[in-house]
Amino acid sequence: MRKPFRQTYAFTAFLFAMLTVQLGGCATTSADPSPSTMESPVAADEDSAPTNEQMPQTQEPTAAAREQYRDVWEKIQQARTIDVHDDAEVRRQRQFFDDKQKFMTQIGQRAEPFLYYIVSQLEARNMPLELALLPIVESGYNPLAQANGPAGLWQMIPATGRNFGLTINSAYDGRKDPLASTDAVLDYLQHLYKNLGNDWINAVAGYNSGELVIKAAIDRNKAKGKPTDFWSLNIPYKQVKTVPKWLAFIQIIREPTHYNLTVSPIDNRPFLERLPAPNGVDIGQIANAAGLTKAEFKTYNPGYRQNAIPSKGKYQIALPLANIGTYQDNQDNLYAQKRDNSHSYIVKAGDSLGEIADKFNISVNELKQANGLTSHKIKVGQELVLSTPIATPNSAEATPAAKPKNTKTAHLASSTHHKTTDKPSVTYKVKSGDSLDKIAKKNNIKLADLMKWNQLTSKSIIKPGQKLKLSQ
């Protein structure tokens, strides 16, 4: 079985260094100082950096040609879809990362389990492969990166995540699920590309500063009869800091040796596969069933905030292909150990573990064990399982399911929705728990159309009772 985050890959180091620098404002992710904050940045000779003329902008290889690549990084290197101008800020960012091998190695270690999936999804959607470098400057490829609002590899805010189909609750944050968040972000980037002049750099700028900022700049140029490509918009750097960093890294990955860096390979083949998650099962039990350590399971599934899969709703787990067979062989035993999910409780304001345990005739220690808690600290909205795992036939006698004193228990709202083949009505009244993605799927319309018809952006917040147009 391939170990996660291989320490031997030098490329990984370079990428990690970049992550640290690019996090701009991410509270929980350490970052190297940016070129603008370093006390004494290395002043590289501008003439020594390759310009566009020195770095030929070839066409992206055909699908057949891509198959020859054994290394995902090499595939990205050869994808010359994005034209990088020899801009002063791009040069400054590029020079800053010159010779930062440790950063590159760390980035590669973090990206290794997920990079193939991201690149394969970009290929399937006919999107520039260079977009796979965006998480380097957003989070340093750290899926657990968390700022005040943004989170995950792609640093999405909650409203954008929910609007593009991610589940975010007290037990699971889809923004920190590298595979699920990639699906949502690529939907979002395609939306931005379509609405910002069919320009991928404009799309990344909109992702960074907000769709309306770039749209306003495009409209101003149109009114003056000027071009609307990113380079013609003259947007202040402080509004789109991600763009020059991303473009700089595109050039670095294309010519790493020029910057005294080594990019170690990541196999150009699938590594992870998603499977339905067993509701209410401890993640340690799942890891054991798959032949993984708990730490390895969390590496591949960082979206889970608690020590068990939520007892309600549909979720997925990602496992290495090499471990799928082992997991399937042990599934019967895993389900024998499944938590009794007939009762769960949502923590309310003023609740304590002692009060909840007394209410359901269980001890505080049993309640803590059932939920993997190491302290008495609980949060409002947190879901608690009210029994310990059922024992296996070879273990001690099973612990009986907790019987609540009050049959009125709280449950998480189901995150599922049903598609309908009926013709959508003219308007839709928003219900509790709705998101733009759910409404679009429920009424068989495109998310982009729903947003357009209602003049919404990715950050728009919808409220119960609000009416949305379902047609032009």
PDB file of all heavy atoms in Angstrom, residues 254-279:
ATOM      1  N   ARG A 254       6.293  24.900 -14.901  1.00  0.00           N
ATOM      2  CA  ARG A 254       6.703  24.628 -16.276  1.00  0.00           C
ATOM      3  C   ARG A 254       8.224  24.519 -16.409  1.00  0.00           C
ATOM      4  O   ARG A 254       8.723  23.773 -17.256  1.00  0.00           O
ATOM      5  CB  ARG A 254       6.185  25.736 -17.202  1.00  0.00           C
ATOM      6  CG  ARG A 254       4.684  25.676 -17.445  1.00  0.00           C
ATOM      7  CD  ARG A 254       4.192  26.884 -18.228  1.00  0.00           C
ATOM      8  NE  ARG A 254       2.749  26.807 -18.476  1.00  0.00           N
ATOM      9  CZ  ARG A 254       2.022  27.773 -19.017  1.00  0.00           C
ATOM     10  NH1 ARG A 254       2.610  28.926 -19.359  1.00  0.00           N
ATOM     11  NH2 ARG A 254       0.725  27.623 -19.205  1.00  0.00           N
ATOM     12  N   GLU A 255       8.957  25.258 -15.602  1.00  0.00           N
ATOM     13  CA  GLU A 255      10.414  25.270 -15.694  1.00  0.00           C
ATOM     14  C   GLU A 255      11.028  25.210 -14.295  1.00  0.00           C
ATOM     15  O   GLU A 255      11.742  26.134 -13.877  1.00  0.00           O
ATOM     16  CB  GLU A 255      10.883  26.547 -16.413  1.00  0.00           C
ATOM     17  CG  GLU A 255      10.434  26.668 -17.847  1.00  0.00           C
ATOM     18  CD  GLU A 255      11.166  25.722 -18.778  1.00  0.00           C
ATOM     19  OE1 GLU A 255      12.236  25.217 -18.376  1.00  0.00           O
ATOM     20  OE2 GLU A 255      10.674  25.500 -19.892  1.00  0.00           O
ATOM     21  N   PRO A 256      10.788  24.145 -13.528  1.00  0.00           N
ATOM     22  CA  PRO A 256      11.249  24.122 -12.134  1.00  0.00           C
ATOM     23  C   PRO A 256      12.759  24.229 -11.977  1.00  0.00           C
ATOM     24  O   PRO A 256      13.241  24.871 -11.042  1.00  0.00           O
ATOM     25  CB  PRO A 256      10.714  22.790 -11.604  1.00  0.00           C
ATOM     26  CG  PRO A 256      10.476  21.956 -12.817  1.00  0.00           C
ATOM     27  CD  PRO A 256      10.090  22.901 -13.899  1.00  0.00           C
ATOM     28  N   THR A 257      13.515  23.612 -12.876  1.00  0.00           N
ATOM     29  CA  THR A 257      14.976  23.641 -12.720  1.00  0.00           C
ATOM     30  C   THR A 257      15.522  25.048 -12.853  1.00  0.00           C
ATOM     31  O   THR A 257      16.576  25.358 -12.290  1.00  0.00           O
ATOM     32  CB  THR A 257      15.640  22.727 -13.756  1.00  0.00           C
ATOM     33  OG1 THR A 257      15.241  23.122 -15.078  1.00  0.00           O
ATOM     34  CG2 THR A 257      15.248  21.272 -13.525  1.00  0.00           C
ATOM     35  N   HIS A 258      14.851  25.917 -13.602  1.00  0.00           N
ATOM     36  CA  HIS A 258      15.290  27.298 -13.741  1.00  0.00           C
ATOM     37  C   HIS A 258      15.251  28.022 -12.399  1.00  0.00           C
ATOM     38  O   HIS A 258      15.983  28.983 -12.178  1.00  0.00           O
ATOM     39  CB  HIS A 258      14.413  28.039 -14.754  1.00  0.00           C
ATOM     40  CG  HIS A 258      14.849  29.446 -15.018  1.00  0.00           C
ATOM     41  ND1 HIS A 258      15.801  29.766 -15.948  1.00  0.00           N
ATOM     42  CD2 HIS A 258      14.481  30.618 -14.429  1.00  0.00           C
ATOM     43  CE1 HIS A 258      15.995  31.082 -15.939  1.00  0.00           C
ATOM     44  NE2 HIS A 258      15.195  31.617 -15.023  1.00  0.00           N
ATOM     45  N   TYR A 259      14.396  27.530 -11.489  1.00  0.00           N
ATOM     46  CA  TYR A 259      14.246  28.157 -10.179  1.00  0.00           C
ATOM     47  C   TYR A 259      14.874  27.312  -9.078  1.00  0.00           C
ATOM     48  O   TYR A 259      14.531  27.436  -7.899  1.00  0.00           O
ATOM     49  CB  TYR A 259      12.755  28.397  -9.891  1.00  0.00           C
ATOM     50  CG  TYR A 259      12.116  29.235 -10.965  1.00  0.00           C
ATOM     51  CD1 TYR A 259      11.442  28.644 -12.028  1.00  0.00           C
ATOM     52  CD2 TYR A 259      12.236  30.627 -10.957  1.00  0.00           C
ATOM     53  CE1 TYR A 259      10.891  29.406 -13.039  1.00  0.00           C
ATOM     54  CE2 TYR A 259      11.682  31.393 -11.973  1.00  0.00           C
ATOM     55  CZ  TYR A 259      11.021  30.781 -13.009  1.00  0.00           C
ATOM     56  OH  TYR A 259      10.484  31.543 -14.025  1.00  0.00           O
ATOM     57  N   ASN A 260      15.811  26.451  -9.465  1.00  0.00           N
ATOM     58  CA  ASN A 260      16.567  25.618  -8.517  1.00  0.00           C
ATOM     59  C   ASN A 260      15.642  24.729  -7.685  1.00  0.00           C
ATOM     60  O   ASN A 260      15.829  24.565  -6.474  1.00  0.00           O
ATOM     61  CB  ASN A 260      17.413  26.500  -7.589  1.00  0.00           C
ATOM     62  CG  ASN A 260      18.370  27.380  -8.353  1.00  0.00           C
ATOM     63  OD1 ASN A 260      19.114  26.902  -9.208  1.00  0.00           O
ATOM     64  ND2 ASN A 260      18.360  28.676  -8.065  1.00  0.00           N
ATOM     65  N   LEU A 261      14.644  24.171  -8.350  1.00  0.00           N
ATOM     66  CA  LEU A 261      13.666  23.335  -7.668  1.00  0.00           C
ATOM     67  C   LEU A 261      13.539  21.989  -8.358  1.00  0.00           C
ATOM     68  O   LEU A 261      13.735  21.873  -9.569  1.00  0.00           O
ATOM     69  CB  LEU A 261      12.294  24.024  -7.648  1.00  0.00           C
ATOM     70  CG  LEU A 261      12.229  25.337  -6.861  1.00  0.00           C
ATOM     71  CD1 LEU A 261      10.932  26.068  -7.171  1.00  0.00           C
ATOM     72  CD2 LEU A 261      12.355  25.073  -5.378  1.00  0.00           C
ATOM     73  N   THR A 262      13.209  20.989  -7.563  1.00  0.00           N
ATOM     74  CA  THR A 262      12.956  19.653  -8.090  1.00  0.00           C
ATOM     75  C   THR A 262      11.515  19.272  -7.790  1.00  0.00           C
ATOM     76  O   THR A 262      11.056  19.402  -6.652  1.00  0.00           O
ATOM     77  CB  THR A 262      13.891  18.619  -7.437  1.00  0.00           C
ATOM     78  OG1 THR A 262      15.246  18.975  -7.707  1.00  0.00           O
ATOM     79  CG2 THR A 262      13.608  17.222  -7.982  1.00  0.00           C
ATOM     80  N   VAL A 263      10.824  18.831  -8.811  1.00  0.00           N
ATOM     81  CA  VAL A 263       9.428  18.408  -8.662  1.00  0.00           C
ATOM     82  C   VAL A 263       9.389  16.895  -8.765  1.00  0.00           C
ATOM     83  O   VAL A 263       9.536  16.334  -9.845  1.00  0.00           O
ATOM     84  CB  VAL A 263       8.540  19.053  -9.744  1.00  0.00           C
ATOM     85  CG1 VAL A 263       7.103  18.608  -9.578  1.00  0.00           C
ATOM     86  CG2 VAL A 263       8.646  20.572  -9.674  1.00  0.00           C
ATOM     87  N   SER A 264       9.191  16.232  -7.628  1.00  0.00           N
ATOM     88  CA  SER A 264       9.176  14.773  -7.641  1.00  0.00           C
ATOM     89  C   SER A 264       7.840  14.261  -8.160  1.00  0.00           C
ATOM     90  O   SER A 264       6.799  14.886  -7.926  1.00  0.00           O
ATOM     91  CB  SER A 264       9.429  14.224  -6.243  1.00  0.00           C
ATOM     92  OG  SER A 264      10.741  14.562  -5.832  1.00  0.00           O
ATOM     93  N   PRO A 265       7.839  13.144  -8.856  1.00  0.00           N
ATOM     94  CA  PRO A 265       6.625  12.681  -9.544  1.00  0.00           C
ATOM     95  C   PRO A 265       5.527  12.172  -8.617  1.00  0.00           C
ATOM     96  O   PRO A 265       5.788  11.672  -7.527  1.00  0.00           O
ATOM     97  CB  PRO A 265       7.144  11.545 -10.436  1.00  0.00           C
ATOM     98  CG  PRO A 265       8.370  11.051  -9.729  1.00  0.00           C
ATOM     99  CD  PRO A 265       8.989  12.253  -9.093  1.00  0.00           C
ATOM    100  N   ILE A 266       4.313  12.333  -9.095  1.00  0.00           N
ATOM    101  CA  ILE A 266       3.130  11.710  -8.495  1.00  0.00           C
ATOM    102  C   ILE A 266       2.494  10.857  -9.591  1.00  0.00           C
ATOM    103  O   ILE A 266       2.248  11.337 -10.695  1.00  0.00           O
ATOM    104  CB  ILE A 266       2.127  12.767  -7.991  1.00  0.00           C
ATOM    105  CG1 ILE A 266       2.719  13.529  -6.797  1.00  0.00           C
ATOM    106  CG2 ILE A 266       0.793  12.117  -7.598  1.00  0.00           C
ATOM    107  CD1 ILE A 266       1.834  14.642  -6.271  1.00  0.00           C
ATOM    108  N   ASP A 267       2.261   9.601  -9.288  1.00  0.00           N
ATOM    109  CA  ASP A 267       1.787   8.662 -10.309  1.00  0.00           C
ATOM    110  C   ASP A 267       0.532   9.171 -11.011  1.00  0.00           C
ATOM    111  O   ASP A 267      -0.426   9.611 -10.359  1.00  0.00           O
ATOM    112  CB  ASP A 267       1.478   7.303  -9.684  1.00  0.00           C
ATOM    113  CG  ASP A 267       2.741   6.575  -9.237  1.00  0.00           C
ATOM    114  OD1 ASP A 267       3.833   6.966  -9.689  1.00  0.00           O
ATOM    115  OD2 ASP A 267       2.626   5.634  -8.427  1.00  0.00           O
ATOM    116  N   ASN A 268       0.551   9.081 -12.331  1.00  0.00           N
ATOM    117  CA  ASN A 268      -0.595   9.490 -13.135  1.00  0.00           C
ATOM    118  C   ASN A 268      -1.578   8.323 -13.243  1.00  0.00           C
ATOM    119  O   ASN A 268      -1.799   7.745 -14.306  1.00  0.00           O
ATOM    120  CB  ASN A 268      -0.121   9.922 -14.534  1.00  0.00           C
ATOM    121  CG  ASN A 268      -1.266  10.410 -15.403  1.00  0.00           C
ATOM    122  OD1 ASN A 268      -2.241  10.944 -14.893  1.00  0.00           O
ATOM    123  ND2 ASN A 268      -1.148  10.213 -16.708  1.00  0.00           N
ATOM    124  N   ARG A 269      -2.161   8.004 -12.103  1.00  0.00           N
ATOM    125  CA  ARG A 269      -3.155   6.932 -12.062  1.00  0.00           C
ATOM    126  C   ARG A 269      -4.026   7.140 -10.825  1.00  0.00           C
ATOM    127  O   ARG A 269      -3.622   7.794  -9.860  1.00  0.00           O
ATOM    128  CB  ARG A 269      -2.493   5.559 -12.006  1.00  0.00           C
ATOM    129  CG  ARG A 269      -1.598   5.337 -10.799  1.00  0.00           C
ATOM    130  CD  ARG A 269      -0.953   3.965 -10.851  1.00  0.00           C
ATOM    131  NE  ARG A 269      -0.086   3.737  -9.696  1.00  0.00           N
ATOM    132  CZ  ARG A 269       0.628   2.630  -9.517  1.00  0.00           C
ATOM    133  NH1 ARG A 269       0.585   1.667 -10.422  1.00  0.00           N
ATOM    134  NH2 ARG A 269       1.378   2.493  -8.442  1.00  0.00           N
ATOM    135  N   PRO A 270      -5.234   6.600 -10.845  1.00  0.00           N
ATOM    136  CA  PRO A 270      -6.139   6.803  -9.714  1.00  0.00           C
ATOM    137  C   PRO A 270      -5.531   6.280  -8.415  1.00  0.00           C
ATOM    138  O   PRO A 270      -4.850   5.245  -8.397  1.00  0.00           O
ATOM    139  CB  PRO A 270      -7.386   6.002 -10.101  1.00  0.00           C
ATOM    140  CG  PRO A 270      -7.316   5.871 -11.583  1.00  0.00           C
ATOM    141  CD  PRO A 270      -5.855   5.802 -11.923  1.00  0.00           C
ATOM    142  N   PHE A 271      -5.787   6.982  -7.331  1.00  0.00           N
ATOM    143  CA  PHE A 271      -5.291   6.558  -6.021  1.00  0.00           C
ATOM    144  C   PHE A 271      -6.444   6.336  -5.042  1.00  0.00           C
ATOM    145  O   PHE A 271      -6.445   5.375  -4.301  1.00  0.00           O
ATOM    146  CB  PHE A 271      -4.321   7.607  -5.473  1.00  0.00           C
ATOM    147  CG  PHE A 271      -3.794   7.278  -4.095  1.00  0.00           C
ATOM    148  CD1 PHE A 271      -3.231   6.043  -3.827  1.00  0.00           C
ATOM    149  CD2 PHE A 271      -3.854   8.208  -3.069  1.00  0.00           C
ATOM    150  CE1 PHE A 271      -2.745   5.728  -2.568  1.00  0.00           C
ATOM    151  CE2 PHE A 271      -3.375   7.911  -1.799  1.00  0.00           C
ATOM    152  CZ  PHE A 271      -2.820   6.664  -1.550  1.00  0.00           C
ATOM    153  N   LEU A 272      -7.440   7.223  -5.060  1.00  0.00           N
ATOM    154  CA  LEU A 272      -8.564   7.120  -4.138  1.00  0.00           C
ATOM    155  C   LEU A 272      -9.855   6.752  -4.874  1.00  0.00           C
ATOM    156  O   LEU A 272     -10.032   7.101  -6.035  1.00  0.00           O
ATOM    157  CB  LEU A 272      -8.784   8.452  -3.411  1.00  0.00           C
ATOM    158  CG  LEU A 272      -7.682   8.918  -2.461  1.00  0.00           C
ATOM    159  CD1 LEU A 272      -8.001  10.305  -1.929  1.00  0.00           C
ATOM    160  CD2 LEU A 272      -7.492   7.943  -1.302  1.00  0.00           C
ATOM    161  N   GLU A 273     -10.729   6.062  -4.160  1.00  0.00           N
ATOM    162  CA  GLU A 273     -12.061   5.761  -4.682  1.00  0.00           C
ATOM    163  C   GLU A 273     -13.079   6.072  -3.593  1.00  0.00           C
ATOM    164  O   GLU A 273     -12.842   5.797  -2.415  1.00  0.00           O
ATOM    165  CB  GLU A 273     -12.179   4.293  -5.092  1.00  0.00           C
ATOM    166  CG  GLU A 273     -13.551   3.923  -5.649  1.00  0.00           C
ATOM    167  CD  GLU A 273     -13.598   2.495  -6.169  1.00  0.00           C
ATOM    168  OE1 GLU A 273     -12.569   2.010  -6.661  1.00  0.00           O
ATOM    169  OE2 GLU A 273     -14.678   1.881  -6.071  1.00  0.00           O
ATOM    170  N   ARG A 274     -14.218   6.640  -3.994  1.00  0.00           N
ATOM    171  CA  ARG A 274     -15.252   6.978  -3.024  1.00  0.00           C
ATOM    172  C   ARG A 274     -16.287   5.868  -2.903  1.00  0.00           C
ATOM    173  O   ARG A 274     -16.713   5.294  -3.908  1.00  0.00           O
ATOM    174  CB  ARG A 274     -15.922   8.294  -3.406  1.00  0.00           C
ATOM    175  CG  ARG A 274     -15.059   9.496  -3.111  1.00  0.00           C
ATOM    176  CD  ARG A 274     -15.763  10.798  -3.369  1.00  0.00           C
ATOM    177  NE  ARG A 274     -15.794  11.134  -4.783  1.00  0.00           N
ATOM    178  CZ  ARG A 274     -16.166  12.315  -5.253  1.00  0.00           C
ATOM    179  NH1 ARG A 274     -16.544  13.271  -4.422  1.00  0.00           N
ATOM    180  NH2 ARG A 274     -16.166  12.554  -6.550  1.00  0.00           N
ATOM    181  N   LEU A 275     -16.700   5.608  -1.664  1.00  0.00           N
ATOM    182  CA  LEU A 275     -17.701   4.593  -1.369  1.00  0.00           C
ATOM    183  C   LEU A 275     -18.744   5.185  -0.417  1.00  0.00           C
ATOM    184  O   LEU A 275     -18.451   6.148   0.302  1.00  0.00           O
ATOM    185  CB  LEU A 275     -17.049   3.376  -0.692  1.00  0.00           C
ATOM    186  CG  LEU A 275     -15.959   2.635  -1.472  1.00  0.00           C
ATOM    187  CD1 LEU A 275     -15.270   1.632  -0.559  1.00  0.00           C
ATOM    188  CD2 LEU A 275     -16.545   1.931  -2.680  1.00  0.00           C
ATOM    189  N   PRO A 276     -19.947   4.620  -0.384  1.00  0.00           N
ATOM    190  CA  PRO A 276     -20.943   5.097   0.580  1.00  0.00           C
ATOM    191  C   PRO A 276     -20.421   4.922   2.007  1.00  0.00           C
ATOM    192  O   PRO A 276     -19.842   3.885   2.343  1.00  0.00           O
ATOM    193  CB  PRO A 276     -22.155   4.204   0.316  1.00  0.00           C
ATOM    194  CG  PRO A 276     -21.977   3.720  -1.092  1.00  0.00           C
ATOM    195  CD  PRO A 276     -20.497   3.569  -1.275  1.00  0.00           C
ATOM    196  N   ALA A 277     -20.626   5.927   2.830  1.00  0.00           N
ATOM    197  CA  ALA A 277     -20.150   5.875   4.213  1.00  0.00           C
ATOM    198  C   ALA A 277     -21.188   5.176   5.090  1.00  0.00           C
ATOM    199  O   ALA A 277     -22.385   5.419   4.945  1.00  0.00           O
ATOM    200  CB  ALA A 277     -19.884   7.280   4.735  1.00  0.00           C
ATOM    201  N   PRO A 278     -20.757   4.297   5.998  1.00  0.00           N
ATOM    202  CA  PRO A 278     -21.697   3.628   6.911  1.00  0.00           C
ATOM    203  C   PRO A 278     -22.122   4.573   8.025  1.00  0.00           C
ATOM    204  O   PRO A 278     -21.308   4.970   8.860  1.00  0.00           O
ATOM    205  CB  PRO A 278     -20.887   2.447   7.444  1.00  0.00           C
ATOM    206  CG  PRO A 278     -19.463   2.910   7.378  1.00  0.00           C
ATOM    207  CD  PRO A 278     -19.367   3.824   6.189  1.00  0.00           C
ATOM    208  N   ASN A 279     -23.386   4.941   8.052  1.00  0.00           N
ATOM    209  CA  ASN A 279     -23.883   5.891   9.052  1.00  0.00           C
ATOM    210  C   ASN A 279     -23.656   5.396  10.475  1.00  0.00           C
ATOM    211  O   ASN A 279     -23.886   4.225  10.781  1.00  0.00           O
ATOM    212  CB  ASN A 279     -25.372   6.164   8.839  1.00  0.00           C
ATOM    213  CG  ASN A 279     -25.651   6.915   7.565  1.00  0.00           C
ATOM    214  OD1 ASN A 279     -26.096   6.350   6.584  1.00  0.00           O
ATOM    215  ND2 ASN A 279     -25.362   8.200   7.555  1.00  0.00           N
TER     216      ASN A 279
END
